[in-house]
Amino acid sequence: MLSKSLFHAAVAVALASSAGWATAQSSEPIKVGLMLPSSGTFAELGKGVADGFKLYVDEQGGKLGGRAVQYIALDDESDPSKANENANKLVKRDKVDVLIGTIHSGVAATMAKVARETNTLLIVPNAGAGEITGAMCAPNVFRSSFSNWQPGYAAGLLAGKKHKTAVTISWKYAAGDESVKGFREGFEKSGGKVLKDLNLPFPGVEFQPLLAELATIKPEAAYAFVAGAGQVKFVKDYAAAGLKNSIPLYGAFLTEGTLTAQGEAAAGLQTTLHYADGLKNPKNDKFIAAYTKAYGAAPNVFGVQGYDAAQMYDVGLKAVKGDTKKKAEIYKAIENAKIDSPRGPLAFSKSHNPVQDFYVRVARGNQNVMTDTIVKGLVDPSRDCKL
Ligand code: BEZ
């Protein structure tokens, strides 16, 4: 049996070593897994997200929740067939504390599955797949961006103000299908009717047959979901086919970050997103200045979504003083966060999807200039989320 003094000494040693362990633990950097595309049609979008995330961390002196940050970056190639292996590499081999990713809905849905299986925090900084904050919603899965339904719905409301019939064109995968579904809901709500949905496989750019069919249907308007490098060709092909003046084209991402490459073909196009050039608020003023200084170009929505993903994780980590073991507390803090975003106030629905305003933008020169707010505080229905 231990004497009283020996017992006290043993307790003291145990406490000291556990305190030492805690200190060593918290002095280690937080491991951030950046699973984003750095090749393929979404490469620029992935760069925007990563740049935005790193800008926020740099503004905090290179720290999140008081701890230094180590990045582990992986090119997901926007390839759903590699997503399971890639996400597991980051979680199991690299032991990241958080997964940040990605752009493509199909890849992100698999990341959400891996995050659920391993109780790893996932913040999706773009991909809008409905199931992530729908049937697959989870305490540890969040989005800093949008659900595909949201910007599509906003575009439907906008087009429905002027037109009675429309045809949609999209890439055939979750983002295209859901964006079109949102558009149809908004358009029908405003009294419009979608005559036909045309599509092609992701990331195909053979738009001519679809544009020819659109021309024969002759709707009053068209809505398109193609993104990244693909949208540059689409908008140019649309104008070259002589459709721009006869069938007004609407979109959500269609002109985001690509106006310089699209040139005159994009002039005047109207789109609906949760960010816009010329959006005035103090946070956005500072964000634009800092981003432009750091990267030599103005930010777009992808930079905002990356920046806010970092803000969200910082809120979670600060709530636990950087102790990543307190997972449930981190999730609660993010769930209840009120983020001062460059896009305006940002809060989260029960399913962890952003509740946010959607803006009307018109393409002028190299800017998507804000002209109006089409819907305020839009909540994704997330009908199948059981949180
Ligand atoms: C998506 O796959 O969810 C997506 C990709 C690019 C822009 C918007 C959404």
Side-chain angles (χ1 to χ4, degrees), residues 101-123:
T102 186
I103 303 298
H104 185 289
S105 271
V107 177
T110 298
M111 292 178 75
K113 186 178 88 40
V114 172
R116 278 173 68 122
E117 286 164 1
T118 57
N119 192 16
T120 305
L121 174 61
L122 167 66
I123 303 178

Side-chain angles (χ1 to χ4, degrees), residues 12 34 45 74 82 84 104 110 116 136 149 210 213 258 271 273-274 288 302 308 310 334 336:
L34 290 176
L45 287 58
L74 188 154
K82 297 184 182 160
N84 190 53
H104 185 289
T110 298
R116 278 173 68 122
M136 285 176 62
W149 176 88
L210 306 185
E213 193 171 347
T258 47
T271 50
L273 275 186
H274 44 294
I288 292 172
F302 306 105
D308 288 342
I334 301 177
N336 296 322

Side-chain angles (χ1 to χ4, degrees), residues 42 45 103-106 126-129 146 148 173-176 225 227-228 253 302:
F42 290 159
L45 287 58
I103 303 298
H104 185 289
S105 271
N126 184 71
F146 56 89
N148 290 318
Y173 80 110
F225 175 89
F253 291 90
F302 306 105

